[in-house]
Amino acid sequence: MTLQVLRYLYDRTLVHKDTINFCQNILKKKVVDWKAVFRSDLSEPIRDVDLVITVGGDGTLLQASHFMDDSVPVLGVNSDPTRPQEVVELSEEFDATRSTGYLCAANANNFEQILDGILKNHHEPSKLARMAVSVNSKVISTSALNDILLAHPCPAAVSRFSFRIKKNGEHLSSLLHSRSSGLRISTAAGSTAAILSAGGSKMPILSKELQYLVREPISPGVTSHLMHGFVKSNETMDISWFCREGLLYIDGCHVVHSIQLGDTIELSSGAPPLKVYLSPHFLSHDV
């Protein structure tokens, strides 16, 4: 590893810590009670507070969301935004992209201004749809804000499953059978992430639909056009798993559930939404 890379990594760590300290100093000036909690220490539902502030990136906000219902809004602060000039200058050495922070409305430059607007009730949070997940009719306590990946534990193995869309218990589609690399399902908030990179499409951020994409289907034949689609807010997606083992990843790799042969998974946008303060620029480009 070159000295230049080490300096870059050290700078990222320093910028992140400086932003945390900066936000804490701003909070000390306000007439509010607050408490700092490391994301690794989150273990209980977040209740009895008026606002959650996450300092990091989208991953930090996603992790906090797993402990929040629809009663508490969250403001994301991007602690280490990408510096375009840095990316250009270092492109021949390594990828110098920093935090994307799609869901983070604030950074060190505008945090106090946005916080003051929230405290004065000048800003309203948006309600982002989350995905409810059930395995064998048992609801998983963690709702997905971003996406879900269903796949075999070995990335080189074939995932075998079938799925269909239902509404009020009635089948809206034929049973589709898949041998592939797995299945990804995203919310509107997650549609700019992995599913977009895999060939999906960006959705309006306030949409309550889900988007699914079968990853690398093997010989889909006449059903190839059905390997990508949408689940409306009043519909569900039912999946039957036909491998000996499988994994269900919720919002990345930190929340994982094991599944096995014969298990059924039901997905819908029926989970309580998450209240998030979004950038006006983000909402103005919501098409």
Side-chain angles (χ1 to χ4, degrees), residues 43-68:
S43 60
E44 299 292 333
I46 301 173
R47 297 193 178 100
D48 301 322
V49 298
D50 299 308
L51 175 67
V52 171
I53 299 172
T54 62
V55 185
D58 285 338
T60 307
L61 192 149
L62 283 169
Q63 187 164 348
S65 75
H66 296 161
F67 298 90
M68 301 172 61

Side-chain angles (χ1 to χ4, degrees), residues 231-273:
V231 183
K232 295 181 180 179
S233 60
N234 59 350
E235 299 172 351
T236 62
M237 184 177 199
D238 287 8
I239 307 162
S240 297
W241 184 252
F242 295 117
C243 291
R244 181 176 298 177
E245 54 185 337
L247 293 175
L248 190 65
Y249 298 92
I250 299 179
D251 287 340
C253 62
H254 297 294
V255 181
V256 185
H257 289 267
S258 296
I259 55 174
Q260 56 188 3
L261 179 67
D263 281 352
T264 58
I265 301 102
E266 182 180 275
L267 308 174
S268 75
S269 57

